[in-house]
Amino acid sequence: MSHVPENTVYGGPKPQTSDQRFILNQLKQKYKKGEPITVVTAYDYPSAVHLDTAGIDICLVGDSASMVVHGHDTTLPISLEEMLFIAGLLLVAPNDRFLLVTCLLGPMRPTPVSLGYEQAVDTAIRVLKEGGMDAIKLEGGSPARITAAKAIVEAGIAVIGHVGLTPQAISVLGGFSPQGKNVSSALKVVETAMALQDAGCFSVVLECVPAPVAAAATSALQIPTIGIGAGPFCSGQVLVYHDLLGMLQHPHHAKVTPKFCKHYARVGDVINKALFEYKEEVTNGSFPGPSHSPYKMNADGLNGFFEVWTKQHLRQLLQLRR
């Protein structure tokens, strides 16, 4: 809630309505009723407000920020500290959505008793405490990752798994390549999703897999699947905020925008047009005009100001000539 009074020049966020907060139990109820779950990424206060206004179920602080916010070609350069900073930007928004963040974990040793799992749990706890999130998203389906997911869940933290194309593992996958395109790979996608369910994950993201493979996983699981480039048969869908809005209209972003993304708008074109118009109006002197110069003085105040200013200005000129 903002401390800025409503009648000041700059406005602030409205009080949050905690009774309307979208929580995990509501998510599970939607799944049981067969109602599709909507997920969109957000990286700052304005995007979080837009998601809340639209009633999007889950607001994901994705590592995709590395690409669409920081301008990198992959998600790898972003750090945990940067993710926590972005998460903090969402907390000040009047947001009633379920808040989810990608949890960045480094390589872990292959045994459950290793220090790696303790660090995984510590990182997840830090994300919830410092980032203020409701749950974490954990990429990968290796035995070490599944054990880490189980350890985090047993520590009392809600986890959503992520299989198929996992952007944090592109060095192993050989780039941003779709998964599940042959028999062994397809079976691995479904089996890994089931293993994550057994580890206690409340949902699984399926990224860049053929629609029949996603359908098989969705049918096999008793938890919701969230598809991204995985066809229409998942329990819900997720897209990147900048992608679905057509926010970035330039060759570099066109190169990295995924084929599966639908542009629901071309916001980038609107932004560019507005900026060009602003530049033109400032250049030709038409902005700001009378309607955008709202602050006035009454006649007595204005005359008094000019009288005092003229005397001071004249005195300064006389002093300079001495």
Side-chain angles (χ1 to χ4, degrees), residues 122-154:
D122 289 344
T123 299
I125 291 172
R126 185 182 173 195
V127 166
L128 258 68
K129 284 189 173 182
E130 296 182 28
M133 298 289 101
D134 297 309
I136 68 161
K137 181 174 74 67
L138 186 62
E139 286 189 9
S142 67
R145 290 281 166 153
I146 292 169
T147 303
K150 181 176 175 63
I152 293 169
V153 171
E154 289 178 349

Coordinates of all heavy atoms in Angstrom, one line a residue, residues 122-154:
D122 N 18.4 -24.4 0.7 CA 18.8 -23.1 1.2 C 18.4 -22.0 0.2 O 17.9 -20.9 0.5 CB 20.2 -23.0 1.6 CG 20.6 -23.7 2.8 OD1 19.6 -24.1 3.6 OD2 21.8 -24.0 3.1
T123 N 18.7 -22.3 -1.1 CA 18.4 -21.4 -2.2 C 16.9 -21.2 -2.3 O 16.4 -20.0 -2.4 CB 19.0 -21.8 -3.5 OG1 20.4 -21.9 -3.4 CG2 18.6 -20.9 -4.6
A124 N 16.1 -22.3 -2.2 CA 14.7 -22.2 -2.3 C 14.1 -21.4 -1.2 O 13.2 -20.6 -1.4 CB 14.1 -23.6 -2.4
I125 N 14.6 -21.6 0.0 CA 14.1 -20.9 1.2 C 14.4 -19.4 1.0 O 13.6 -18.5 1.3 CB 14.8 -21.4 2.5 CG1 14.3 -22.8 2.8 CG2 14.5 -20.5 3.7 CD1 15.0 -23.5 3.9
R126 N 15.6 -19.1 0.5 CA 16.0 -17.7 0.3 C 15.0 -17.0 -0.7 O 14.6 -15.9 -0.6 CB 17.4 -17.6 -0.2 CG 17.9 -16.2 -0.4 CD 19.3 -16.1 -0.9 NE 19.7 -14.7 -1.2 CZ 20.7 -14.4 -1.9 NH1 21.5 -15.3 -2.4 NH2 21.0 -13.1 -2.1
V127 N 14.7 -17.8 -1.8 CA 13.8 -17.2 -2.8 C 12.4 -16.9 -2.2 O 11.9 -15.8 -2.5 CB 13.6 -18.2 -4.0 CG1 12.5 -17.9 -4.8 CG2 14.9 -18.3 -4.8
L128 N 11.9 -17.8 -1.4 CA 10.6 -17.5 -0.7 C 10.7 -16.4 0.3 O 9.8 -15.5 0.3 CB 10.1 -18.8 -0.1 CG 9.0 -19.5 -0.9 CD1 9.6 -20.1 -2.2 CD2 8.3 -20.6 -0.1
K129 N 11.7 -16.3 1.1 CA 11.8 -15.3 2.1 C 12.2 -13.9 1.5 O 11.5 -12.9 1.8 CB 12.9 -15.7 3.1 CG 12.4 -16.8 4.1 CD 13.4 -17.0 5.2 CE 12.9 -18.0 6.3 NZ 13.8 -18.2 7.4
E130 N 13.2 -13.9 0.7 CA 13.6 -12.6 0.2 C 12.8 -12.2 -1.0 O 12.6 -11.0 -1.2 CB 15.1 -12.6 -0.2 CG 16.1 -12.9 1.0 CD 17.5 -12.9 0.5 OE1 17.9 -12.2 -0.5 OE2 18.3 -13.5 1.2
G131 N 12.4 -13.1 -1.8 CA 11.6 -12.8 -3.0 C 10.1 -12.7 -2.8 O 9.4 -12.1 -3.6
G132 N 9.7 -13.2 -1.6 CA 8.3 -13.1 -1.3 C 7.4 -13.9 -2.2 O 6.2 -13.7 -2.4
M133 N 7.9 -15.0 -2.8 CA 7.1 -15.8 -3.8 C 6.3 -16.9 -3.0 O 6.5 -17.2 -1.9 CB 8.1 -16.5 -4.7 CG 8.9 -15.5 -5.6 SD 7.9 -14.7 -6.9 CE 7.8 -13.0 -6.0
D134 N 5.3 -17.4 -3.7 CA 4.5 -18.5 -3.2 C 5.1 -19.9 -3.5 O 4.8 -20.8 -2.8 CB 3.1 -18.4 -3.8 CG 2.4 -17.1 -3.4 OD1 2.3 -16.8 -2.2 OD2 1.9 -16.4 -4.4
A135 N 5.9 -20.0 -4.5 CA 6.4 -21.3 -4.9 C 7.6 -21.0 -5.8 O 7.9 -19.9 -6.3 CB 5.4 -22.1 -5.6
I136 N 8.3 -22.1 -6.1 CA 9.5 -22.0 -7.0 C 9.3 -23.0 -8.2 O 8.5 -24.0 -8.1 CB 10.8 -22.4 -6.4 CG1 10.9 -23.8 -6.0 CG2 11.1 -21.5 -5.1 CD1 12.3 -24.3 -5.7
K137 N 9.9 -22.6 -9.3 CA 9.9 -23.5 -10.5 C 11.3 -24.0 -10.6 O 12.3 -23.3 -10.6 CB 9.5 -22.8 -11.8 CG 9.5 -23.7 -13.0 CD 8.9 -22.9 -14.2 CE 9.9 -21.9 -14.7 NZ 11.1 -22.5 -15.3
L138 N 11.4 -25.4 -10.8 CA 12.7 -26.0 -10.8 C 12.9 -26.7 -12.1 O 12.1 -27.7 -12.4 CB 12.9 -27.0 -9.6 CG 14.2 -27.7 -9.5 CD1 15.3 -26.6 -9.2 CD2 14.2 -28.7 -8.3
E139 N 13.9 -26.3 -12.9 CA 14.1 -27.0 -14.2 C 14.9 -28.3 -14.1 O 15.7 -28.4 -13.2 CB 14.9 -26.0 -15.1 CG 14.1 -24.9 -15.7 CD 14.9 -24.1 -16.7 OE1 16.0 -24.6 -17.2 OE2 14.4 -23.0 -17.2
G140 N 14.6 -29.2 -15.1 CA 15.4 -30.4 -15.2 C 14.8 -31.6 -14.6 O 13.9 -31.5 -13.7
G141 N 15.2 -32.8 -15.1 CA 14.6 -34.0 -14.7 C 15.7 -35.1 -14.4 O 15.3 -36.3 -14.4
S142 N 16.9 -34.7 -14.2 CA 17.9 -35.7 -13.8 C 17.6 -36.2 -12.4 O 16.9 -35.6 -11.7 CB 19.3 -35.0 -13.9 OG 19.4 -34.1 -12.8
P143 N 18.2 -37.4 -12.1 CA 18.0 -37.9 -10.7 C 18.4 -36.9 -9.7 O 17.7 -36.8 -8.6 CB 18.9 -39.1 -10.7 CG 19.0 -39.6 -12.1 CD 19.0 -38.3 -13.0
A144 N 19.4 -36.1 -9.9 CA 19.9 -35.2 -8.9 C 18.8 -34.1 -8.7 O 18.5 -33.6 -7.6 CB 21.2 -34.5 -9.3
R145 N 18.2 -33.6 -9.9 CA 17.2 -32.6 -9.8 C 15.9 -33.1 -9.2 O 15.3 -32.4 -8.4 CB 16.9 -32.1 -11.2 CG 18.0 -31.3 -11.8 CD 18.0 -29.9 -11.3 NE 19.3 -29.2 -11.6 CZ 19.4 -27.8 -11.8 NH1 18.3 -27.1 -11.6 NH2 20.5 -27.3 -12.0
I146 N 15.6 -34.3 -9.4 CA 14.4 -34.9 -8.8 C 14.6 -35.0 -7.3 O 13.6 -34.7 -6.5 CB 14.0 -36.2 -9.5 CG1 13.6 -36.0 -11.0 CG2 12.9 -36.9 -8.7 CD1 13.5 -37.2 -11.8
T147 N 15.7 -35.4 -6.9 CA 16.0 -35.5 -5.5 C 16.0 -34.2 -4.8 O 15.5 -34.0 -3.7 CB 17.4 -36.2 -5.2 OG1 17.4 -37.5 -5.9 CG2 17.7 -36.4 -3.8
A148 N 16.5 -33.2 -5.6 CA 16.5 -31.8 -5.0 C 15.1 -31.3 -4.9 O 14.7 -30.7 -3.9 CB 17.3 -30.9 -6.0
A149 N 14.2 -31.6 -5.9 CA 12.8 -31.2 -5.8 C 12.2 -31.8 -4.6 O 11.4 -31.2 -3.8 CB 12.1 -31.6 -7.1
K150 N 12.4 -33.1 -4.3 CA 11.8 -33.8 -3.2 C 12.3 -33.2 -1.9 O 11.5 -32.9 -1.0 CB 12.2 -35.3 -3.2 CG 11.7 -36.1 -2.1 CD 12.1 -37.6 -2.3 CE 11.6 -38.4 -1.1 NZ 10.1 -38.4 -0.9
A151 N 13.6 -32.8 -1.8 CA 14.2 -32.2 -0.6 C 13.5 -30.9 -0.4 O 13.2 -30.5 0.8 CB 15.7 -32.1 -0.7
I152 N 13.3 -30.1 -1.4 CA 12.7 -28.8 -1.3 C 11.3 -28.9 -0.8 O 10.8 -28.1 0.1 CB 12.8 -28.0 -2.6 CG1 14.3 -27.7 -2.9 CG2 12.0 -26.7 -2.5 CD1 14.6 -27.2 -4.3
V153 N 10.5 -29.8 -1.4 CA 9.1 -30.0 -1.0 C 9.1 -30.5 0.5 O 8.2 -30.0 1.2 CB 8.5 -31.1 -1.9 CG1 7.1 -31.5 -1.3 CG2 8.3 -30.6 -3.3
E154 N 10.0 -31.4 0.9 CA 10.0 -31.8 2.3 C 10.4 -30.7 3.2 O 10.0 -30.8 4.4 CB 10.9 -33.0 2.4 CG 10.4 -34.3 1.7 CD 11.4 -35.4 1.8 OE1 12.5 -35.2 2.2 OE2 10.9 -36.6 1.5

